Amino acid sequence: MFQKTIKAVIVDDESLARDMIKHYLSDHSEIEIVEECENGYDGLKAIQEHKPDLLFLDIMMPKINGFELLELVDDPPVVIFSTAYDEYAIKAFELQAADYLLKPYDQERFEQALKSARQKLKDEYGPKNEIRKILESRYAQQETIRRIVVKINTKVHVISVHDIIYIEAMDDYVRIHTSKNSFLKQNTMKYFEAHLPKDDFIRVHRSYICSVSQIDRIESLTKDSFTALLKNGENIPVSRSGYAKLKEQL
């Protein structure tokens, strides 16, 4: 059911941008700003604590960006994006009927976005479905990732792809193995196979993607199966097709 009071969180690293949103909201007494944050880490905490109905979110921020923040939110609110980068806003969100504000914007444009957000708030299933479409749109367009964000309890870890030894399939999740730890993330092997740097990572088995630089040697087990001995002492299975890919690249 549509709520009379709408709880909102603002996440933007520019104080002027946050002040502008607050100014435009001053005539909307039904919208309560429960917290404003200047980075993605604090924004994630605020969302978890307040469970807002509406999120005003910048995209390019230090530490973790707006996309990465959304990846970590289990129960996402309706989002109005506020960004200076039209390539992110228009291409990634307008096609998916998501609301965005391209900086600088005036109050009339702000009111249009707010109207769109109100409509989504009336739809019981709108927010979750819309965020899922947004993330899928981002994944479809993004060519190469350079880092991965993972949330463990209340702590956020930012993993550089250079620190990854291998990735292992775990049902609906993957386990990302690094030299220091391993991290569970809800995503698919297909996604990582497509978006990790192709010169650095190979899917050596249907359940394993490995950093080429971490392979010490390949040993044959049978005619059609192999194992990769890694520099950290571990070994992972290599399929016949995976072995062919390794031979081609190495």
Side-chain angles (χ1 to χ4, degrees):
M1 183 179 290
F2 183 64
Q3 297 176 321
K4 202 170 217 182
T5 300
I6 299 171
K7 294 192 297 181
V9 166
I10 302 171
V11 184
D12 197 309
D13 62 329
E14 299 177 3
S15 60
L16 288 177
R18 299 195 303 271
D19 290 342
M20 183 169 60
I21 292 172
K22 289 185 291 183
H23 173 68
Y24 287 157
L25 287 175
S26 60
D27 292 333
H28 295 276
S29 58
E30 77 283 5
I31 299 179
E32 177 190 2
I33 302 171
V34 293
E35 193 163 343
E36 60 175 287
C37 310
E38 61 181 17
N39 61 69
Y41 283 129
D42 293 341
L44 178 61
K45 293 177 184 176
I47 293 168
Q48 291 173 326
E49 179 181 350
H50 298 289
K51 302 191 183 325
D53 308 294
L54 180 60
L55 175 64
F56 294 92
L57 181 62
D58 190 10
I59 293 178
M60 298 307 293
M61 297 181 291
K63 298 185 178 180
I64 60 173
N65 63 42
F67 294 124
E68 293 166 335
L69 168 61
L70 288 179
E71 286 186 50
L72 303 174
V73 177
D74 296 325
D75 191 10
V78 168
V79 177
I80 293 178
F81 290 90
S82 176
T83 175
Y85 298 88
D86 62 347
E87 66 267 30
Y88 292 108
I90 294 174
K91 294 178 183 178
F93 310 124
E94 188 174 53
L95 292 176
Q96 297 292 344
D99 297 299
Y100 73 92
L101 293 168
L102 184 59
K103 299 174 183 175
Y105 51 85
D106 58 20
Q107 185 151 10
E108 182 180 359
R109 179 65 187 89
F110 182 85
E111 295 295 336
Q112 291 173 1
L114 202 56
K115 182 179 179 181
S116 175
R118 289 179 186 278
Q119 186 59 46
K120 295 183 189 304
L121 284 167
K122 292 178 182 179
D123 181 358
E124 182 180 358
Y125 300 101
K128 291 181 183 179
N129 290 344
E130 195 62 43
I131 293 300
R132 190 175 297 111
K133 288 179 182 178
I134 289 169
L135 293 176
E136 287 173 356
S137 174
R138 179 207 174 203
Y139 291 156
Q141 295 182 34
Q142 186 176 7
E143 293 183 359
T144 303
I145 57 173
R146 298 297 175 186
R147 64 184 193 178
I148 302 166
V149 291
V150 179
K151 179 166 64 75
I152 300 178
N153 298 321
T154 59
K155 190 171 183 180
V156 175
H157 299 265
V158 180
I159 307 166
S160 168
V161 297
H162 299 298
D163 295 330
I164 298 173
I165 297 175
Y166 66 94
I167 297 177
E168 179 182 7
M170 305 281 288
D171 295 324
D172 294 333
Y173 292 77
V174 297
R175 184 168 292 282
I176 302 166
H177 296 264
T178 72
S179 58
K180 296 179 180 179
N181 209 335
S182 66
F183 305 89
L184 201 63
K185 184 173 179 67
Q186 188 172 19
N187 213 322
T188 65
M189 295 290 281
K190 184 178 180 181
Y191 166 73
F192 286 109
E193 182 182 15
H195 296 291
L196 283 167
K198 297 190 183 302
D199 291 339
D200 302 326
F201 291 88
I202 290 181
R203 189 166 185 175
V204 297
H205 185 274
R206 63 184 178 86
S207 298
Y208 291 90
I209 295 173
C210 187
S211 168
V212 176
S213 66
Q214 296 297 320
I215 298 175
D216 185 48
R217 65 183 186 275
I218 307 293
E219 292 186 355
S220 175
L221 297 178
T222 66
K223 180 180 178 182
D224 294 325
S225 65
F226 308 84
T227 186
L229 279 70
L230 306 181
K231 292 179 181 179
N232 68 352
E234 294 184 68
N235 59 76
I236 60 175
V238 176
S239 66
R240 185 176 180 180
S241 62
Y243 181 68
K245 292 176 189 175
L246 283 169
K247 278 186 67 177
E248 182 179 347
Q249 183 151 337
L250 296 177

